Amino acid sequence: MEDSGPKRYRQRKACDLCHQKKIRCDRQKPACETCHLAGERCIFSVWQPSSRHTLQGQLADAKARIRALEGTIAFRPSWTGDCAGKNYFQSPFDLNVAIDTFQWYIQYCWPGVANSLPRNAFHSAVYLQTGAVFDLQHFLQEARQTFMSQNAFYTVPQKQKVIPQWPKVALVQRCIDYFIIKGLYSIFSVVDPEALQTLIAKRTLEYTEGSSRASDWACLAAFTALIVRLHPHEFALIYTDPDAYIQAALMLLPDLLMETANVRTLEAVLLLTLYFLPSGQPQKAERFLSIAVRIVYNLGGNRVTPPRETETDPRKHSHLRALFWHCYAIDKDMSLRKCEPPLMHDIDCDLDLPPNYVPSSDEQFFKKPLSPDKLIFPSDLRLTLIKARIYHFLYSNHGRAQPQATQLRYIRELDQEMSDLMADFPAGCRPDVLAIENAPDALFHDLGTRGVALHLEYYFCLGRVHEASSACGMPSTHSWSAVPSSVELYHEAARSTLLYTRRVPHIFPCHTFWIHAQVLLTAVLNLFWYLIQYPTAQSFCADLEILEHIRQMFIGLIRTGDSARPFPPFYITEAFIGTLIGLAKRSLARATGK
């Protein structure tokens, strides 16, 4: 019998925002935790059992959405600049983007750019040793077609515009509190949390143009975006959009660059650098870094003694020096990776390490509580100084112009510096203890991401030192040659890198893959080169097995990724290693006649 009585209405058990996000609501008053952190009103709408939406209901929903949009627009400052409405972000799941990025990185791993002498030498060496023609461009074309055929339901992600959005004050405060409580200044001393707290107290984000500097807005937005991106699990229950916050900061670039630069300006630009660096967009990061370097020089951060010491707060200058070291470390890493001149020259900088820098301790490698009173930075600054010397003595025009005997002396001296650095690491944290086939799993259990990255950097630098010997003994531009002792050493560096990588596949999540991609690909190519040059070596089968293990690791990453969509960079890397394995087997067959 049809119920003709009045419809029953009841209040939802979750507020509107928690209901929309499908998360548990604690129903606290005056606002639940989710609404409080998101800076939204906590509303419990009446639930209607009918699934049909009346015309009046649809109109009410539309009005509510309009009010929400109006609130968002009203919240934004009137700064627009030339960046408004443009899209500066690329989807990491876009196959075309992945191929372009892979080509950019692979040219600095050894083979060089297309149609260059190094690339031609690479192709010639492969043909000479294997009898097979291998062309990187052709490989990438085939990889594109194979990927599309194996992923029939794959569609190229549409380029969606990222709408600029300013983070809510509550979210910014949450990020500042998290930064302070976790002691993150010890590693990422890229902002002064006390200064950011002052900006919040002055209600900077609640006013529009004219009431504060563009650098203040950009710094708060970029800081929030970076913290949310680096620590997504800490903010999983809060609606966040870090790309939108970065887009809002980019919207202020014209005003940011026209203002008189101060420390907030430097922080904002450096935060933009760090945001783009791991996303497979290093060219953008380089541009922001070049701006940051110039600001560092203008503010006197490159000197231990500030230009006007009597007018400068010592604590503020200490923070400025920390910002200098971040810029210096990124610059020297990029320079060595690309074998191109750095932006910062040592002769113009005071390179005294910060007084509170901790060069050697378990904190450098293991997951331990951090103290903002101690600086450890993302990488060991002593290794950064060695990177600068590796480029200057071995890869700069000055280094290449030296006699062969002088170059070989530089190689020996830099190799000794690397050995001395490793000997200064805590006993259980030395890379040679972990980069072996039978290293116990327990050694990797408490190792932090920073410690893993530092070990991989060590072997990358060691490889760069001994790769330089090939330039010393190269008889022509179409062949590769190297000093025998260096051949063995960079062969061992490549093996160690890959043996180590097998044990730490967790450092290759989708959103940070490109940070370590060049280190991995360089080791793969170095080991491949050794295989085809010495196919009868006793280590051939063991080395080939290492490459196969790395290939299987990426097959596993493709299948167990944190997204339902296939991640093209993993597929391209796996296919590339598989192709090199096939060529190495051809070199063995050619050498043995089997």
Side-chain angles (χ1 to χ4, degrees):
M1 181 175 179
E2 183 177 355
D3 184 7
S4 59
K7 294 181 179 179
R8 300 178 61 187
Y9 299 89
R10 66 174 182 266
Q11 197 177 55
R12 285 199 182 105
K13 293 183 179 180
C15 70
D16 292 359
L17 183 59
C18 291
H19 177 75
Q20 178 186 355
K21 300 302 175 186
K22 298 181 180 180
I23 59 178
R24 186 179 182 84
C25 180
D26 59 20
R27 298 178 61 84
Q28 293 296 316
K29 299 296 183 181
C32 70
E33 183 182 15
T34 303
C35 292
H36 172 70
L37 294 174
E40 301 286 353
R41 291 180 59 195
C42 191
I43 302 173
F44 287 81
S45 298
V46 174
W47 176 76
Q48 301 181 25
S50 173
S51 61
R52 296 186 300 172
H53 294 282
T54 63
L55 183 60
Q56 291 85 351
Q58 295 177 21
L59 181 60
D61 290 343
K63 289 181 177 179
R65 288 195 295 269
I66 291 172
R67 284 195 297 270
L69 289 172
E70 287 175 343
T72 303
I73 293 172
F75 184 67
R76 298 174 187 162
S78 56
W79 285 305
T80 54
D82 296 331
C83 304
K86 294 184 179 179
N87 187 16
Y88 293 91
F89 301 92
Q90 300 171 335
S91 171
F93 293 91
D94 188 324
L95 177 60
N96 295 325
V97 170
I99 289 176
D100 291 342
T101 307
F102 187 89
Q103 289 188 89
W104 191 90
Y105 276 96
I106 201 71
Q107 65 183 314
Y108 298 114
C109 296
W110 205 352
V113 298
N115 300 318
S116 65
L117 289 178
R119 179 70 65 88
N120 292 335
F122 174 79
H123 291 157
S124 298
V126 171
Y127 179 75
L128 180 66
Q129 299 300 126
T130 69
V133 175
F134 175 65
D135 183 271
L136 279 170
Q137 293 297 118
H138 181 67
F139 159 76
L140 291 172
Q141 293 174 3
E142 287 189 336
R144 183 199 305 272
Q145 296 172 359
T146 307
F147 179 87
M148 295 297 292
S149 63
Q150 292 183 359
N151 297 275
F153 297 102
Y154 172 82
T155 56
V156 177
Q158 295 182 352
K159 293 184 178 179
Q160 298 179 354
K161 286 188 177 296
V162 178
I163 300 175
Q165 178 183 343
W166 299 103
K168 300 291 186 180
V169 175
L171 177 61
V172 180
Q173 185 64 64
R174 171 76 179 270
C175 290
I176 295 173
D177 293 341
Y178 180 80
F179 187 83
I180 295 173
I181 292 171
K182 296 295 184 180
L184 294 180
Y185 188 85
S186 177
I187 298 177
F188 291 105
S189 47
V190 291
V191 293
D192 181 350
E194 292 183 14
L196 297 191
Q197 193 66 67
T198 300
L199 293 178
I200 294 296
K202 291 180 178 179
R203 303 174 65 185
T204 299
L205 287 174
E206 299 178 31
Y207 294 97
T208 55
E209 180 181 10
S211 61
S212 59
R213 291 169 51 92
S215 57
D216 296 340
W217 281 78
C219 187
L220 289 170
F223 167 75
T224 304
L226 185 64
I227 294 299
V228 171
R229 173 59 62 85
L230 291 177
H231 304 274
H233 298 299
E234 296 294 332
F235 303 90
L237 299 181
I238 308 173
Y239 174 73
T240 58
D241 191 348
D243 284 351
Y245 308 151
I246 286 293
Q247 187 79 327
L250 292 173
M251 199 170 64
L252 302 179
L253 271 179
D255 299 271
L256 187 69
L257 297 180
M258 294 304 294
E259 288 179 347
T260 301
N262 62 10
V263 175
R264 296 291 86 72
T265 312
L266 175 58
E267 289 175 343
V269 176
L270 186 54
L271 286 165
L272 290 169
T273 303
L274 292 173
Y275 193 84
F276 282 106
L277 194 58
S279 64
Q281 303 178 73
Q283 301 96 321
K284 294 176 183 176
E286 284 179 327
R287 298 186 195 113
F288 287 118
L289 179 64
S290 64
I291 298 172
V293 167
R294 179 46 55 192
I295 297 174
V296 165
Y297 283 142
N298 290 340
L299 297 179
N302 57 315
R303 296 301 184 190
V304 172
T305 304
R308 300 177 181 177
E309 186 174 10
T310 57
E311 301 178 11
T312 303
D313 182 345
R315 190 189 69 84
K316 290 182 178 179
H317 191 70
S318 175
H319 174 58
L320 180 58
R321 285 288 292 172
L323 293 170
F324 157 78
W325 277 109
H326 276 281
C327 292
Y328 184 88
I330 297 173
D331 180 40
K332 298 307 178 183
D333 184 66
M334 286 185 170
S335 172
L336 186 60
R337 284 175 179 247
K338 299 173 64 179
C339 293
E340 292 182 357
L343 297 168
M344 308 181 83
H345 300 285
D346 291 2
I347 194 172
D348 301 319
C349 304
D350 292 337
L351 298 177
D352 301 22
L353 298 178
N356 55 340
Y357 175 63
V358 182
S360 293
S361 73
D362 291 349
E363 293 170 302
Q364 293 262 9
F365 299 93
F366 295 115
K367 304 171 187 176
K368 292 193 173 185
L370 301 172
S371 170
D373 298 327
K374 300 178 181 179
L375 296 181
I376 58 177
F377 293 95
S379 179
D380 194 317
L381 294 185
R382 298 170 302 170
L383 184 58
T384 295
L385 294 172
I386 294 176
K387 289 178 184 178
R389 289 195 284 273
I390 292 173
Y391 173 78
H392 176 71
F393 289 116
L394 301 181
Y395 292 97
S396 67
N397 289 338
H398 166 78
R400 294 181 185 277
Q402 300 303 309
Q404 181 176 340
T406 303
Q407 291 179 337
L408 294 176
R409 176 169 59 84
Y410 288 153
I411 290 173
R412 288 193 297 271
E413 291 174 352
L414 289 165
D415 178 80
Q416 185 61 50
E417 285 191 53
M418 295 293 296
S419 298
D420 294 342
L421 176 65
M422 182 177 66
D424 197 41
F425 289 164
C429 305
R430 294 170 186 167
D432 58 345
V433 176
L434 296 100
I436 56 178
E437 295 186 49
N438 57 352
D441 292 339
L443 293 178
F444 297 86
H445 184 266
D446 296 322
L447 199 62
T449 302
R450 185 186 181 284
V452 171
L454 184 54
H455 288 152
L456 293 178
E457 281 187 77
Y458 173 87
Y459 282 117
F460 177 76
C461 291
L462 189 62
R464 273 288 193 254
V465 168
H466 292 287
E467 283 173 23
S469 70
S470 63
C472 303
M474 186 177 289
S476 72
T477 57
H478 293 282
S479 64
W480 288 343
S481 177
V483 177
S485 59
S486 282
V487 168
E488 294 298 328
L489 287 169
Y490 74 67
H491 166 232
E492 189 59 35
R495 293 185 84 255
S496 298
T497 300
L498 298 179
L499 285 171
Y500 191 101
T501 301
R502 284 175 50 192
R503 310 296 291 275
V504 289
H506 61 275
I507 69 165
F508 290 100
C510 297
H511 61 282
T512 59
F513 168 74
W514 293 113
I515 293 180
H516 307 291
Q518 185 178 354
V519 174
L520 171 78
L521 292 172
T522 298
V524 165
L525 281 166
N526 284 351
L527 191 58
F528 166 72
W529 180 86
Y530 189 87
L531 284 169
I532 64 173
Q533 291 289 336
Y534 305 98
T536 58
Q538 292 183 351
S539 62
F540 184 93
C541 292
D543 290 345
L544 196 65
E545 186 178 3
I546 292 174
L547 284 183
E548 184 59 43
H549 280 302
I550 297 298
R551 176 173 172 266
Q552 291 299 324
M553 183 188 80
F554 276 96
I555 291 176
L557 289 172
I558 293 171
R559 293 174 179 171
T560 61
D562 54 6
S563 173
R565 293 177 293 174
F567 188 57
F570 287 167
Y571 175 83
I572 296 171
T573 303
E574 181 273 323
F576 181 70
I577 297 173
T579 301
L580 297 184
I581 291 173
L583 290 169
K585 290 179 178 178
R586 289 182 65 100
S587 71
L588 175 63
R590 189 181 180 88
T592 59
K594 297 181 182 179

